[in-house]
Amino acid sequence: MPTSWARFPPSRASCQNNGNDTDRRKIWAELFEELDLNKDGRIDVTELRQGLLARGLAVRSHAEEDILRAGDTNLDGQLDFQEFVEYLEEHEKKLRLMFHSLDKNDDGEIDVSEILQSLQGLGLCVSQQQAEKILKSMDKDGTMTIDWKEWRDHFLLNPITNMEEIAYYWKHSVVLDIGESLTVPDEFSEKEKRTGMWWKQLVAGGVAGAVSRTGTAPLDRLKVFMQVQAHKHHSYNVLKGLRGMVHEGGFRSLWRGNGINVLKIAPESAIKFMAYEQIKRAIRGNEGTLQVHERFVAGSLAGATAQTTIYPMEVLKTRLTLRKTGQYTGVADCARQILRKEGIRAFYKGYVPNMLGIIPYAGIDLAVYETLKNTWLQNYSQTSPDPGVLVLLACGTASSTCGQLASYPLALVRTRMQAQASLEGEPQLSMVGLFRQIVSREGVFGLYRGIAPNFMKVIPAVSISYVVYENMKLALGVVSK
């Protein structure tokens, strides 16, 4: 986000309706000269980007490209001075309209209550404290109000065009898949849905998830092995587990089960998104975004709907992950053998603990995420309502870890129930029976077998997912505001 443009000190001419056009052009000429780094009378996208960064302006991703696209009337890929001035004049008109739409009482200043009223009218549920932080990010004279000049200077080089974009500008979200499937879906604005940007973000997230899961598949397979078989080999650890898998089936065997784990991303994401939208509409109607506790309910129900639909793929993934060399020729053969030997009900073994695990995972994940993010904003962010990508990633990693700690015993029981029929000599126990057996034989620690490789994959999964996600957004033309 831009903070303010330092080349507009209070003593310089402002852009009031009766302001002096000559003074404005003088200011713009100085600004153009500073941005024109090679002094050729034109500004290209590289100069615009470097000029903004050199002054410490954290402008949103690709803002310089949007400015160039809007101002480059002769389509030569550069802005001459006349194009630059025409862009700023047109952009100021839009900024003035937005300023007046926020200034409800027409007193020439925007206060906290007007920000609250406007954002809530656009469907953004923000607190008084959040609205104050937004205001402080623009209030340069400490009056707790924003006048036209502060508003203009703040957004002069940010190519927003309407209040909906302002609302989206203040909303920040990251869609990442680290191999766990119970997180609460991200919310998309009406503009994102209308322009098709939502499906591009889902595609980018899906591709990032596929690459991330593939990159960490050996650790995921090791986790399943330790959940199911480590109780038979008490000295079983990460290194021995990896060696054993390579010895049994070669290096490629480390990726067994990854194919279907990747295949289930698309249907699960699509079903979760559609279910979340319907549940959100049922809870709030068309009144806007959900509050935290409502997101928890909607996210849990959407996750349950998606999991119910694709659950047979979860069972197939576990069986394929645990298979020995030559046991199945592929996904279809695995499904046929399970159906022939165990019947249709086998595809829903472990369903109950899986559903029960959604509630603690989604609830704790969301609660910890929101708490950490808000704590950081309150203590370390004095000027901006945007915590930044790195902070959001850190909050997401920590919240996901807490969610996994709470739901892991249920995930372990689910996996063992999915695998029971494929293990020779193992009794077919219920969820409660398995809990009792694990605690009596292995102690409480037994409920957390395999959690080490599960934690080991979080950081590389998040890193891979983020890098691929950002590059996919760029390739698909997703605008990051």
Side-chain angles (χ1 to χ4, degrees), residues 48 52 63-72 79 87 157-159:
L48 189 54
L52 300 180
E64 65 280 354
E65 296 174 8
D66 290 344
I67 292 173
L68 189 66
R69 192 180 303 113
D72 183 18
L79 295 179
Y87 167 76
L157 290 177
N158 189 329

Side-chain angles (χ1 to χ4, degrees), residues 277-405:
E277 287 299 307
Q278 294 301 315
I279 296 165
K280 172 185 169 183
R281 192 170 292 114
I283 294 174
R284 301 278 290 184
N286 295 316
E287 294 181 6
T289 57
L290 302 179
Q291 296 185 18
V292 174
H293 67 281
E294 293 171 329
R295 284 193 69 202
F296 165 60
V297 173
S300 297
L301 291 175
T305 303
Q307 284 283 295
T308 299
T309 307
I310 60 95
Y311 193 76
M313 299 178 77
E314 293 279 359
V315 175
L316 288 171
K317 178 229 173 185
T318 298
R319 296 292 183 90
L320 288 167
T321 297
L322 293 169
R323 79 182 187 271
K324 296 178 180 178
T325 302
Q327 186 174 358
Y328 306 119
T329 59
V331 176
D333 181 51
C334 179
R336 279 195 298 269
Q337 289 196 40
I338 293 173
L339 185 62
R340 186 177 68 251
K341 296 177 182 178
E342 305 169 52
I344 192 72
R345 293 182 63 183
F347 289 102
Y348 279 89
K349 285 187 175 180
Y351 175 78
V352 173
N354 187 70
M355 291 298 103
L356 292 176
I358 289 176
I359 297 174
Y361 186 98
I364 293 173
D365 185 23
L366 180 60
V368 173
Y369 177 81
E370 294 289 342
T371 300
L372 291 176
K373 182 183 73 173
N374 291 332
T375 300
W376 192 93
L377 286 171
Q378 292 168 15
N379 293 300
Y380 301 103
S381 179
Q382 302 301 320
T383 58
S384 174
D386 181 4
V389 171
L390 291 178
V391 173
L392 291 175
L393 285 175
C395 293
T397 302
S399 64
S400 177
T401 300
C402 293
Q404 288 182 53
L405 280 170

Side-chain angles (χ1 to χ4, degrees), residues 68-88:
L68 189 66
R69 192 180 303 113
D72 183 18
T73 54
N74 62 7
L75 303 179
D76 65 350
Q78 301 177 95
L79 295 179
D80 58 31
F81 179 66
Q82 186 59 35
E83 288 175 325
F84 185 67
V85 168
E86 289 175 357
Y87 167 76
L88 291 181

Side-chain angles (χ1 to χ4, degrees), residues 398-450:
S399 64
S400 177
T401 300
C402 293
Q404 288 182 53
L405 280 170
S407 64
Y408 194 83
L410 286 163
L412 181 139
V413 169
R414 173 203 65 193
T415 304
R416 287 202 186 178
M417 290 181 73
Q418 291 172 342
Q420 276 182 130
S422 64
L423 302 176
E424 295 181 6
E426 286 291 321
Q428 304 297 299
L429 300 176
S430 65
M431 179 183 71
V432 175
L434 260 176
F435 264 113
R436 288 174 176 170
Q437 184 191 74
I438 293 170
V439 173
S440 64
R441 290 183 179 181
E442 308 167 53
V444 175
F445 178 78
L447 296 171
Y448 286 90
R449 289 196 182 277

Side-chain angles (χ1 to χ4, degrees), residues 1-8 31-32 34-37 43-68 79 84 87-88 153-159:
M1 293 184 184
T3 51
S4 66
W5 189 252
R7 296 295 302 177
F8 293 86
L31 178 56
F32 183 86
E34 290 183 12
L35 293 174
D36 182 16
L37 300 178
I43 301 172
D44 59 26
V45 68
T46 302
E47 288 176 316
L48 189 54
R49 183 184 303 117
Q50 291 176 351
L52 300 180
L53 292 175
R55 289 157 182 81
L57 296 178
V59 181
R60 67 170 178 79
S61 301
H62 315 306
E64 65 280 354
E65 296 174 8
D66 290 344
I67 292 173
L68 189 66
L79 295 179
F84 185 67
Y87 167 76
L88 291 181
D153 294 356
H154 188 84
F155 288 111
L156 185 64
L157 290 177
N158 189 329

